[in-house]
Every structure is written in C-alpha cells, then in structure tokens.
Amino acid sequence: MSISYKVNNPFNQELLGEFPFSSKEEVEAQLVLLKKGQKTLKNIPAHERSDILRRLSVLLDENSEKLAKLITLETGKTIADSRVEMVRAVNASIASSEEARQIIGETLDSDAYAPTRGKLGIVCWRPLGTALCITPFNFPINIAIHKIGPAFAAGNTVMFKPGPQNTLSSQLLTDLCYEAGFPEDTLQLCMPDIPEMGDLIASPLINVVNFTGGTAAANSIAHAAGYKKLLLELGGNDPLIVMADADIDSAVNAAINQRFATAGQRCTAAKRLFLHEDIYTQFRDTLIAKTKQLVVGDPLQEETFIGPVINEKAANEIKLSIEQAVSVGATVALGNKQEGNVIYPTILENVNSDCELMVEEIFGPVIPLMSFSDIEQIIPIINNSAYGLQGGIFTQQLGLIKYLFDELDIGTLAVNDGPGFRAEHFPFGGVKSSGVGREGIKYAIREMSYLKTLVI
C-alpha cells in the first residue's frame, strides 16, 4: 500500500489535497521510459525543441493567474509575488527556446602546435542523457522552468521531482509541458518519499542531478550520486552594503523588497545589512518607517506584502534565531512577533557578528543591522560564512566596487541593487557551500551537456 502525504495551506491550514508518494516500482518504470525517450529527443531537432519551449511560454502566460493562485495556496507567497514569479517563468521558457537554437561549439586547428598534422577538431555540446531536476518550495514554477527548460533545450530527458508542497502546481506545469509538445517519454513527474530518493539519485539511468535547496540535502545527494554530474544551487547569507554616498531611499527599498518579500524565503535575500555609520540612523529610521507600512497577513489579498512562512517548524526556527540574537546582545527595533506561521518583519540592531543570524542562513523576514566606519571592518565578517552566493552595494565609488568584487567570497556583486538581483540569462550561483556550477539558461545548458570532439 502506497504511503500518502497531505498538502496544507500554510496560512490557514486548509487541506489542499492528499497524494500518494511514487513507489519504487513506479519510479523505475519512469526511468526506463525516459531512457527510451533519449532516442525520441535525438529525432527532435533544435528548431523543434525551440518551438516546443516557445509554445510552453505561451501556455504559461495563458495559465499565469491559475498557477499564481496555486503557488500562493501551496506556499503562502503573496499573490502579487506569485504573479512576478510567473512573469519570470514565462521569460525563462522564452530564453530556453532561444538558447536551444544557440548551442554552438568551436573548431580548432591542430597545427597551432607542432608537429603539423593538418587536422581540425570540431567541438560540439551533446546532452548527458536524463536529468533529475529537484526543485524547492519557494519558487515552484520559475525554478522548475530554469531546470526543465535548459535540460530539454540541450536534448536531455527530464525526471522532475518537485517539493511535495507544490504537487498541484507541478502537476499543472507538467500537463502544460505535454500540451506544448513535450513527448511523455521525455518528461516525467515523480514524488518518491525521502527514503527512496537515494536510490533514484544513484540510479545508473540518471546522468545529471540539478538540485536547488539546502546544503544538508545537497550533501546527501553528492554522497548518493557518485561520479554523476552535479549542478547544485544552495543557500546564501547575502550581504547588502550601504555606503555614505548611497541613495538611501533606493537602498531601503531594495532591503525591503529583497528581504521581506516571499517572507524572506529566498536564497538571495538581503540577509545581513552593513550600514556606514554616517548614514546609519537615517537608513534605520527610513527602514523602520517604511516597514511599518507593510501589510502582513492573508497572502491572497492584493495589498498583502508579507504572508506566512512555509510551515510551523520553519516559523518556530526563525523565532528561535531572533531570540538567540537577542540573548547575545541584539536589540529589537521592530517586530519579533509571531502569529501561527506568520513572522512579522523584524529589524534588529547591535547584532553580534558571530551570532546565528550573521553566520548562518535564516529563511525568514529578519534584517540584522550592523554599523561600520571602515570597509575593512566588514570584509572578514561577510566572508565569515559557509556561504558565498551574492551581494549588493549602494555607492558611487567605482574603485570601491572593484575592490569589493575582488575581496568578497561571492558569485555575484550587484551595484546599486541588492543581492537578490537575478536575470534569466545571467549566470547564477555561488562559491563555498552556496553550490556547484551555474544556472542561468545558457550556462545551465552547458552544465547539463558534455563536450564531444570530432577530429577530421
């Protein structure tokens, strides 16, 4: 008898559905089907894969409101935020369609080095085979398209494993992929329980694992995967630096939008704010005033800016992190209030640089503020983290920007923007425990491909 799981609305605990986990036998049958589908895809040329992905973008756009509502019901993300996600998902599908036509290699001259051999090396990108795409709860459609789109564009078949909380939206997305023209033997949705995930990852019928999520799960994936190609997009403890010459209003807006949106449940959220002492008070007062105006509550209401976090366990852990920071000296400038799964936006001052909030990734609407007088004070604090995903700085000093770009252990530095900046065609990923490889449509295609050379 199959084991089932329930999906509840994080805001009001309404039951959205009860679903069976995929059995081991079902997953094995899907993998065999996808192995056969690799031949199917070999007979679908790049221009046809491109057309299928373009049709998918149209279908995503046509079903945008339906999917946005499902995202909100499943995750507690505000409806406005879910609509933004759908715009990005449509763009990611368009970009995947365009990049499917642009997968180009190079030609090498063997005579660049002696002896003369009179050969050419024709270097091509080829699909790895079957990609296991594992997605998190927080951006269920956009992140799925960032994996499925490039994998299919490259010519890989796809085993799609979303988070269980996203079952309804993921089922609809899979149906839309089929409607767009994905043959069923090139894309399968599976939902094995956690104990069965190791066997799926280790299966010789899986050739590449593309995962977005936490480092603990990534460590388990790496252990099970062996020599498989891995593309891991993991967490971040992303800094936002505001210098004395910054546009304060723009910096405050970036902090609010990139920390409190999605209830802070973003790997690229502005999780640590470093404010130059000359503008500290002005920034803090403006941040508090604007944060007080944010509407907290029902994510289906148009005016709501902050809804619940994903579940009770997550909410309690965030509250404990706030209390831990307070216990070692932090003071609460605003917030520190919990109602069910809703954590009200919280701003902390006098935060110890070694406390959990400053070193670990906290997935919630909490902003710790730190004042500094010299940029050299904060570089070691920023780098004193297992993570190194993205960062942001507000300043007009080009020399400082270039200096920080070299000194900070991060994958991307955004200037006069926050660490949450992302564009579908930009490379995306970090260093240290923030992951392995790069997403971004063109770059993900390469990660899920291998180089093959013809010498002629």
Side-chain angles (χ1 to χ4, degrees), residues 25-228:
E25 294 73 21
E26 288 170 333
V27 171
E28 288 176 348
Q30 288 177 299
L31 288 172
V32 171
L33 180 64
L34 290 171
K35 178 66 174 179
K36 294 178 180 176
Q38 292 173 19
K39 291 185 179 180
T40 301
L41 266 182
K42 279 188 177 181
N43 294 320
I44 300 177
H47 68 89
E48 290 186 16
R49 297 199 302 274
S50 176
D51 290 343
I52 290 169
L53 288 163
R54 189 71 186 205
R55 285 196 295 272
L56 177 60
S57 73
V58 173
L59 291 170
L60 288 171
D61 187 50
E62 292 173 351
N63 290 272
S64 179
E65 189 64 18
K66 184 177 181 180
L67 279 163
K69 186 173 181 182
L70 281 176
I71 293 168
T72 295
L73 291 172
E74 290 176 336
T75 69
K77 180 185 292 190
T78 66
I79 189 64
D81 206 4
S82 296
R83 287 173 182 145
V84 172
E85 174 174 349
M86 286 310 304
V87 171
R88 291 195 56 206
V90 170
N91 288 339
S93 188
I94 293 171
S96 297
S97 168
E98 293 173 348
E99 289 296 339
R101 304 177 188 271
Q102 308 288 336
I103 304 174
I104 55 176
E106 59 182 340
T107 302
L108 304 176
D109 183 354
S110 69
D111 295 343
Y113 297 95
T116 301
R117 286 167 286 188
K119 297 287 187 178
L120 293 176
I122 302 172
V123 185
C124 304
W125 292 100
R126 291 292 182 260
L128 285 166
T130 295
L132 173 58
C133 297
I134 308 173
T135 57
F137 75 86
N138 55 347
F139 288 87
I141 302 301
N142 184 43
I143 291 180
I145 294 298
H146 270 269
K147 298 184 186 304
I148 295 171
F152 185 79
N156 296 288
T157 60
V158 177
M159 179 68 99
F160 174 33
K161 165 56 179 77
Q165 187 71 19
N166 308 121
T167 296
L168 292 170
S169 60
S170 298
Q171 287 178 340
L172 178 53
L173 172 60
T174 303
D175 290 341
L176 293 177
C177 287
Y178 292 152
E179 186 178 344
F182 280 65
E184 289 196 21
D185 62 357
T186 67
L187 173 66
Q188 289 287 300
L189 169 66
C190 70
M191 196 67 74
D193 201 358
I194 292 174
E196 279 71 53
M197 281 299 296
D199 289 338
L200 172 58
I201 293 163
S203 170
L205 297 179
I206 292 294
N207 306 104
V208 54
V209 180
N210 186 343
F211 168 78
T212 296
T215 50
N219 290 336
S220 297
I221 289 170
H223 179 74
Y227 292 108
K228 288 184 174 67

Side-chain angles (χ1 to χ4, degrees), residues 357-375:
L357 275 172
M358 295 297 287
V359 177
E360 300 297 331
E361 179 184 38
I362 305 302
F363 232 45
V366 185
I367 290 181
L369 305 180
M370 176 170 283
S371 176
F372 70 93
S373 58
D374 188 320
I375 199 70

Side-chain angles (χ1 to χ4, degrees), residues 244-319:
D245 62 339
D247 181 326
I248 300 301
D249 285 335
S250 294
V252 167
N253 289 339
I256 289 173
N257 289 321
Q258 296 186 23
R259 183 46 167 169
F260 294 148
T262 324
Q265 299 170 114
R266 298 179 179 180
C267 58
T268 58
K271 299 186 181 78
R272 299 180 289 172
L273 265 66
F274 298 90
L275 312 175
H276 193 278
E277 61 184 9
D278 291 351
I279 51 88
Y280 181 91
T281 300
Q282 179 188 358
F283 185 100
R284 179 202 61 203
D285 293 348
T286 305
L287 177 65
I288 291 172
K290 289 191 174 185
T291 301
K292 285 180 176 179
Q293 297 172 9
L294 301 178
V295 177
V296 182
D298 185 351
L300 280 174
Q301 297 299 313
E302 297 287 343
E303 68 274 11
T304 301
F305 192 85
I306 300 175
V309 295
I310 191 63
N311 53 40
E312 181 181 7
K313 180 176 181 289
N316 291 339
E317 287 177 351
I318 296 163
K319 191 66 162 61

